[in-house]
Amino acid sequence: MVLHSKVLICIDNIIIPIATKEEELKQLIEKNGFPFENHTVTTEDGYILQLHRIPYGRKKNNYHKRAPVLIVPGTFASSADWVNTGENSLGFILADRGYDVWLANYRGSRWSRRHIKLNPDVDIKEFWNFSFHDIGLYDLPAFIDYILHVTRQEKLFYIGHSQGTINFFVLNSEKPEYNKKFRLMVGLGPVAYFSNAKAPIVHFMATYQNEIKAFVDRYLLYELLPYSPLLATIGQTFCNDNSPFQNVCASIFYIAAGYSNQLNKSMIPVIVSNAPAGASYKHWRHAVQAYLSGGKIPKYNYGEEENLRRYGHPNASEYNLTKVTAPVALYYGTNDVFCVQE
């Protein structure tokens, strides 16, 4: 069952174009000449999620005929990352070109740290007990069904970045009836088979996975890199165009995601003011399992006993991607250390 409500909030003061609260994201979008709507969706398993909508562009033509497009961000990202670079932002470009834009915030990220029963800061182990599997199985259906209901459309466009692509594959392999609800899926930096990943953080977590798990369990560090206003301040101070440390900031980006000569260093303070937006440790442990799988796409490995209970056999099951029949277009960068083509 999907529950929802619609909230519109105004603030009086305009700050720099960086979203640090929901009200400021609304102000950011409206400052650029676009409308903003906030929609709340509740998943089947109780997570309360926010969808940020740009229903039309700067010219309100054919409002009721616009095709909806759902944009799902990657790990540690949020809806803000699609609107924080001014008129060059993908969310604004699509709205101006005639689309009804819906920006997703999956469970545990900055605007979706809520649950009907669980408190993310108190019920830590229970709230953060999810991986990309759960986002694909529960969050995406809640988003899609809600959008199609509101817009009275039968299908939508889907844009997923990084984790947002594996979420799509999980959904359509586990619930193949959803394939018919997509006009087209566009994968940016698509991730599914993960064994070729060259990201140092993935290799580190794979090498020391047992030690990391013991440390996480001991100190209940099930939430990774939540949104931090302090990081936004650090980015403003040390990564701006006048800072001698700007190249150091850029180097951190290169190490994390791969080198690109297209990185706009001037935008680093804006980027770190929105990201990271939080993720679960279980998500990354699941990613490491995929990394070590030898070219498979496994479901989460709980150990032999729990696997027997959940999957009916001692090994984790695999996702059957032959069930994904929706049209798909994939785009990747040659230096991407997560999405590696070999």
Side-chain angles (χ1 to χ4, degrees):
M1 180 177 180
V2 176
L3 307 176
H4 54 81
S5 62
K6 178 177 174 181
V7 181
L8 297 179
I9 304 173
C10 297
I11 61 174
D12 297 325
N13 298 322
I14 297 177
I15 61 171
I16 56 175
I18 297 172
T20 55
K21 295 180 181 178
E22 180 184 292
E23 294 89 343
E24 293 166 7
L25 177 62
K26 176 183 188 295
Q27 188 64 59
L28 167 63
I29 291 174
E30 292 185 342
K31 184 184 179 211
N32 280 276
F34 295 85
F36 171 88
E37 294 178 9
N38 180 62
H39 294 253
T40 302
V41 178
T42 302
T43 68
E44 182 182 340
D45 59 343
Y47 285 82
I48 301 172
L49 315 176
Q50 290 195 27
L51 274 168
H52 294 151
R53 183 189 190 190
I54 308 173
Y56 50 87
R58 285 170 287 190
K59 293 183 179 180
K60 187 179 175 182
N61 296 327
N62 298 322
Y63 171 75
H64 294 291
K65 298 180 180 179
R66 292 174 176 264
V69 53
L70 172 62
I71 307 180
V72 180
T75 310
F76 299 126
S78 71
S79 60
D81 295 282
W82 304 106
V83 294
N84 62 7
T85 56
E87 63 180 12
N88 293 322
S89 302
L90 180 60
F92 295 153
I93 292 172
L94 291 173
D96 266 344
R97 295 194 178 183
Y99 293 93
D100 179 1
V101 180
W102 297 77
L103 308 175
N105 293 285
Y106 51 76
R107 62 183 63 194
S109 59
R110 183 175 171 190
W111 285 293
S112 295
R113 293 179 80 258
R114 297 171 60 200
H115 189 278
I116 59 175
K117 295 180 180 179
L118 304 174
N119 184 322
D121 301 314
V122 177
D123 307 301
I124 300 174
K125 190 171 184 178
E126 295 82 4
F127 182 93
W128 297 99
N129 185 27
F130 62 84
S131 77
F132 56 78
H133 172 86
D134 304 278
I135 295 172
L137 197 63
Y138 297 110
D139 295 12
L140 292 196
F143 289 144
I144 292 162
D145 292 342
Y146 179 84
I147 292 169
L148 295 181
H149 172 74
V150 170
T151 60
R152 299 182 181 180
Q153 298 278 339
E154 294 183 357
K155 296 184 178 184
L156 52 72
F157 289 98
Y158 181 100
I159 298 176
H161 173 236
S162 192
Q163 177 192 287
T165 59
I166 187 63
N167 299 152
F168 174 89
F169 295 132
V170 168
L171 168 63
N172 289 285
S173 60
E174 293 293 290
K175 296 183 176 182
E177 65 272 19
Y178 273 84
N179 281 284
K180 65 183 181 181
K181 298 187 179 185
F182 297 96
R183 293 173 182 261
L184 174 68
M185 178 276 204
V186 177
L188 306 177
V191 175
Y193 298 96
F194 204 51
S195 297
N196 292 333
K198 296 180 180 179
I201 183 62
V202 175
H203 179 72
F204 175 82
M205 292 186 71
T207 303
Y208 300 102
Q209 58 177 317
N210 293 331
E211 292 85 351
I212 293 172
K213 185 178 186 303
F215 183 80
V216 167
D217 289 337
R218 179 175 181 179
Y219 295 101
L220 301 179
L221 299 177
Y222 299 109
E223 178 183 14
L224 297 182
L225 297 179
Y227 169 73
S228 171
L230 176 60
L231 183 59
T233 301
I234 292 173
Q236 290 275 351
T237 304
F238 294 101
C239 302
N240 64 76
D241 288 337
N242 298 318
S243 170
F245 300 102
Q246 187 181 64
N247 286 331
V248 175
C249 298
S251 297
I252 296 174
F253 275 77
Y254 298 148
I255 292 172
Y259 174 78
S260 172
N261 59 10
Q262 299 182 45
L263 174 64
N264 184 346
K265 297 179 183 179
S266 297
M267 294 304 300
I268 293 177
V270 177
I271 295 171
V272 300
S273 294
N274 301 308
S280 72
Y281 163 71
K282 185 178 180 180
H283 162 77
W284 280 98
R285 186 167 173 82
H286 195 175
V288 167
Q289 292 176 359
Y291 173 70
L292 296 172
S293 69
K296 301 177 181 179
I297 311 179
K299 297 181 181 180
Y300 192 84
N301 185 355
Y302 291 91
E304 289 189 4
E305 183 177 343
E306 184 63 14
N307 287 344
L308 278 170
R309 189 182 74 82
R310 289 175 178 262
Y311 309 128
H313 41 78
N315 297 316
S317 297
E318 296 178 39
Y319 297 107
N320 184 0
L321 296 194
T322 63
K323 293 184 177 181
V324 180
T325 58
V328 171
L330 304 179
Y331 299 85
Y332 66 94
T334 55
N335 294 329
D336 192 326
V337 294
F338 291 100
C339 170
V340 178
Q341 306 298 313
E342 290 186 351

